[in-house]
Amino acid sequence: MKKKGFSYAKWGYIFAAPFMIAFAIFMLYPVIYTLFIGFTDMKGMIPDSVHILEDPLGNFKSILSDALFKKSLGNTFKMWIWNFIPQIGLALLLAAWFTNDRMKLKGKGFFKVIFYMPNIITAATVAMLFYSLFSYPKGPINDILIATGVLKESYNFAVDGKAAQMTVAFIQFWMWYGYTMIVLISGILGISPDIFEAADIDGASGFQKFIYVTLPNLKTIMLFTLVTSLIGGLQMFDIPKLYLDGGPSDATRTAQIFIYKKAFSGAYMYNEAAAASIILFLIIAVFAAILFYMLRDKDEAALHKIIKAQEKAYKKKMKEQEGK
Amino acid sequence: MKKGRTGQSPIGTALVYVLCILLTILSIFPFWTMLMNATRSTYEIQERAVALLPSTYFMNNLNILLGKAFNPWRGFMNSMIVAGCATLLAVYFSTLTAYAIVIYDWKLKRAFFTFIMAVMMIPQTVVTIGFYQMIYKVGLQNNFLPLILPSIAASSTVFFMKQYMEPSLSKEIIQSARIDGAGEFFTFNRIALPIMKPAIATQGIFCFVNTWNALFMPMVLLTKKEMYTMPIMVSLLKGDIYRTEYGSIYLGLTLTVLPLFVVYFLLSKYIIAGVALGSVKG
């Protein structure tokens, strides 16, 4: 009987095999291939014989000295930050209200459904929709701004770089704050009610509880939100691509649009596009590593939890074996 | 003093409602304008771009829309094929992989799970160029397979399935199935899969929506118009052919989001719950 666990081990490998095979073909190989292309002279719509460059880092050097790449990277950061700061701020505020029992807000379920809705709609469609809403000289947004007296005459949002960047950031914000809010709500609901009770007994106000109880306990989940948003945000593509195709004069060109255009238009520079994507990957990895490092020290509690759970599992195992 | 602590001030609560209502309008306004303008003529839209009520030009807009390159039915079918197949593969194989981790004891199991978590962090961008060149070499561009098959290795779905399976699938059930002489695949298909139904439903929705909405890879790989999925179809609306047909553009956009609205409002309860469980990668 005891040997049974051992004889079933091969099924673990068999059941995990499809994942491993698909991963090897569709992810591992492409990643290695991308890396390889980054060192070669692969270009042209139909690349013929491909060679490693005499200066293997040539593509990386030319990308790093490419002003347009730097600009694209800067745009990406700008638009991500302008979307993320208001997004996390509003999401926190709403999450605090929605989890505040004293407020007795009605219609929370309805608001959640409505706030999350834009997130599920195809980003391509959303970008096109906003393109139509912002149309010039006559368009819904211009009409409203004139009617409310904000503007005197129609404004062409599509030719102003700053306005275009703000619009892209706003669309991202609009699509994602509902998601972040729901994640934060579940984070707040996961905080032990004992801590809140203790704060109540100490006579803490709602605001004090938010600052001293909710926020410190949300650190982990907020870092998680930050990391995932950063990884997604640095690869921003759909919205700026379909909104103004990276324009006007490259103001909304993101790193990912840069890579796309390098590889699939003009001179079809697959090699430089690959180098650019590796650089983007390294930037993302460095940021993610920094954030995870920040998480590490402050997460001793979580570590203890894991150790305890493992101890429990171990004890259970021992018991099971005794039972046999 | 005490009152302020036990009850919320009515003004504060009112402000919260006002903000929530403003945000509701912000969420709905773009889609409402889209729906209304889909039924209005170019002339009406140019006169007044915002309308709260529909007009009568729906059929007219539809005829103009369908008379040109935009083919919503094709896009819908193509997206259905890609998203449907990818979702089936993702949920089945992710559950299978999670089962391998939860049920069996094998040497590399722990390393494998850590590896899956690491894979979740790999950004798509570093896969793209190599993937495209690989597909190009084997001549599978303008084919749905390269968009469907990679979902067999959906790391975030595996992660979620594993988290869900651990507390809900007891090893005792599996043991007793074995004693009854059931094979391992049979046990998985007939016992584990049904228990995993709620998790499969949640993950299925997200896989479906994500593949349905994907733009980058389909845009790179599908160059034939009759292969276009919905999100690429959308980009056709921006072309010169619809330049002044505002009503038709809004109608085209409406048709691309209609399926998502239906899915969302039927399943919003599960979707919100799924997001709360941290199942979606942003």
Side-chain angles (χ1 to χ4, degrees):
Chain A
M1 264 317 247
K2 261 191 183 169
K3 276 209 164 170
K4 238 185 173 173
F6 176 70
S7 67
Y8 281 113
K10 71 165 186 192
W11 285 99
Y13 292 98
I14 293 173
F15 281 12
F19 181 97
M20 293 305 286
I21 294 166
F23 170 79
I25 297 173
F26 297 113
M27 232 177 153
L28 186 63
Y29 178 74
V31 169
I32 295 170
Y33 199 21
T34 305
L35 194 65
F36 169 74
I37 293 169
F39 295 104
T40 66
D41 59 354
M42 184 190 275
K43 59 185 159 198
M45 203 168 171
I46 300 154
D48 27 47
S49 66
V50 173
H51 306 284
I52 293 194
L53 293 176
E54 276 179 37
D55 174 13
L57 293 177
N59 295 323
F60 294 88
K61 281 176 191 159
S62 61
I63 287 294
L64 285 175
S65 60
D66 188 335
L68 189 55
F69 181 69
K70 278 179 209 156
K71 188 178 182 186
S72 310
L73 213 53
N75 291 338
T76 316
F77 268 107
K78 254 191 242 167
M79 292 191 283
W80 175 72
I81 287 173
W82 287 345
N83 119 70
F84 187 75
I85 292 174
Q87 178 191 321
I88 194 98
L90 181 62
L92 256 178
L93 203 61
L94 291 170
W97 286 335
F98 279 31
T99 51
N100 187 340
D101 292 335
R102 286 179 193 166
M103 248 180 206
K104 295 194 184 77
L105 278 186
K106 277 182 194 122
K108 277 189 266 192
F110 168 80
F111 286 131
K112 274 190 210 172
V113 169
I114 294 295
F115 296 170
Y116 181 71
M117 180 179 67
N119 193 271
I120 211 151
I121 304 302
T122 318
T125 301
V126 168
M128 258 308 282
L129 177 55
F130 273 82
Y131 176 75
S132 303
L133 293 179
F134 275 103
S135 64
Y136 172 84
K138 293 290 286 178
I141 304 284
N142 267 317
D143 275 15
I144 288 174
L145 290 179
I146 290 169
T148 53
V150 178
L151 288 179
K152 275 220 174 92
E153 48 189 37
S154 315
Y155 186 72
N156 194 345
F157 289 90
V159 296
D160 179 344
K162 201 100 193 158
Q165 289 179 340
M166 293 302 255
T167 313
V168 171
F170 173 78
I171 300 172
Q172 295 277 353
F173 157 82
W174 180 74
M175 285 185 79
W176 284 98
Y177 80 90
Y179 163 82
T180 307
M181 176 192 83
I182 294 168
V183 170
L184 293 180
I185 287 176
S186 78
I188 294 175
L189 293 178
I191 300 171
S192 159
D194 298 352
I195 312 178
F196 284 110
E197 254 169 52
D200 275 336
I201 292 166
D202 289 347
S205 70
F207 181 69
Q208 282 172 326
K209 274 198 291 187
F210 179 71
I211 295 290
Y212 296 109
V213 180
T214 313
L215 276 186
N217 281 296
L218 272 185
K219 233 173 212 167
T220 313
I221 209 152
M222 274 169 64
L223 270 170
F224 162 80
T225 315
L226 183 64
V227 172
T228 48
S229 168
L230 184 78
I231 295 175
L234 291 187
Q235 300 180 81
M236 201 188 292
F237 179 79
D238 298 14
I239 301 275
K241 172 82 176 97
L242 278 190
Y243 180 55
L244 290 172
D245 198 16
S249 47
D250 299 317
T252 59
R253 185 188 285 243
T254 60
Q256 194 66 12
I257 293 182
F258 176 90
I259 292 167
Y260 175 82
K261 291 204 166 165
K262 259 276 174 281
F264 304 108
S265 68
Y268 296 87
M269 306 286 280
Y270 295 110
N271 52 354
E272 291 194 359
S277 70
I278 293 160
I279 293 168
L280 183 60
F281 166 66
L282 290 177
I283 294 170
I284 292 172
V286 167
F287 273 104
I290 293 172
L291 291 171
F292 275 120
Y293 183 78
M294 283 161 65
L295 228 162
R296 196 196 55 148
D297 277 351
K298 290 157 192 167
D299 220 9
E300 273 176 333
L303 195 68
H304 274 294
K305 250 189 200 166
I306 293 168
I307 291 170
K308 264 193 185 163
Q310 280 176 344
E311 274 174 0
K312 236 187 188 173
Y314 180 66
K315 272 183 195 162
K316 208 178 160 194
K317 233 185 187 174
M318 294 294 279
K319 256 191 191 167
E320 272 174 13
Q321 280 188 350
E322 273 172 18
K324 279 176 190 169
Chain B
M1 261 315 255
K2 277 233 163 123
K3 211 180 171 193
R5 277 179 192 163
T6 44
Q8 203 69 35
S9 75
I11 297 170
T13 312
L15 278 175
V16 174
Y17 278 118
V18 168
L19 182 70
C20 284
I21 289 164
L22 282 178
L23 289 172
T24 304
I25 294 170
L26 194 64
S27 277
I28 292 173
F29 167 74
F31 298 118
W32 187 260
T33 306
M34 173 185 82
L35 282 173
M36 292 308 113
N37 283 352
T39 66
R40 301 171 75 220
S41 70
T42 300
Y43 176 74
E44 283 174 324
I45 294 169
Q46 284 196 314
E47 276 292 292
R48 207 161 46 88
V50 185
L52 293 178
L53 296 170
S55 177
T56 53
Y57 288 85
F58 175 79
M59 281 319 288
N60 194 27
N61 287 338
L62 190 66
N63 287 334
I64 294 171
L65 180 73
L66 298 183
K68 291 175 181 172
F70 186 82
N71 187 342
W73 181 243
R74 226 331 124 56
F76 178 82
M77 286 315 288
N78 289 342
S79 283
M80 265 318 241
I81 294 169
V82 173
C85 295
T87 304
L88 286 179
L89 289 183
V91 293
Y92 185 81
F93 284 104
S94 298
T95 316
L96 190 69
T97 312
Y99 189 80
I101 297 171
V102 173
I103 297 301
Y104 301 107
D105 287 314
W106 37 297
K107 238 189 204 163
L108 295 174
K109 169 168 130 162
R110 196 157 273 185
F112 179 62
F113 186 61
T114 316
F115 161 80
I116 283 181
M117 301 223 289
V119 170
M120 280 166 62
M121 291 286 150
I122 297 179
Q124 185 61 35
T125 173
V126 80
V127 185
T128 318
I129 304 290
F131 188 81
Y132 172 79
Q133 285 298 335
M134 175 179 89
I135 296 306
Y136 184 80
K137 278 207 177 126
V138 292
L140 279 179
Q141 62 284 50
N142 287 315
N143 190 313
F144 290 144
L145 285 179
L147 299 172
I148 295 170
L149 291 178
S151 60
I152 293 173
S155 47
S156 53
T157 313
V158 175
F159 181 77
F160 181 86
M161 292 300 186
K162 188 233 167 208
Q163 300 301 88
Y164 186 89
M165 194 185 280
E166 240 158 22
S168 51
L169 184 65
S170 79
K171 285 195 177 182
E172 281 77 37
I173 300 178
I174 307 298
Q175 276 296 351
S176 57
R178 281 175 187 157
I179 290 164
D180 291 345
E184 295 302 303
F185 263 108
F186 184 88
T187 313
F188 172 73
N189 287 328
R190 292 299 166 83
I191 293 170
L193 273 187
I195 290 176
M196 293 296 288
K197 252 186 204 159
I200 289 174
T202 317
Q203 281 303 300
I205 297 168
F206 287 115
C207 287
F208 189 86
V209 170
N210 284 341
T211 357
W212 181 281
N213 287 343
L215 174 70
F216 193 94
M217 267 340 270
M219 194 158 98
V220 166
L221 289 174
L222 306 174
T223 51
K224 282 188 190 155
K225 276 210 176 92
E226 62 268 28
M227 302 292 283
Y228 277 9
T229 55
M230 235 12 166
I232 326 177
M233 209 61 97
V234 171
S235 64
L236 289 179
L237 292 173
K238 212 174 174 177
D240 280 341
I241 44 170
Y242 293 108
R243 186 154 286 266
T244 52
E245 301 297 344
Y246 299 118
S248 299
I249 294 175
Y250 283 110
L251 181 59
L253 292 172
T254 306
L255 293 178
T256 68
V257 297
L258 222 49
L260 288 167
F261 273 137
V262 172
V263 168
Y264 187 58
F265 287 109
L266 285 177
L267 304 172
S268 61
K269 212 174 110 192
Y270 303 95
I271 295 174
I272 302 287
V275 178
L277 282 168
S279 59
V280 200
K281 231 170 36 140

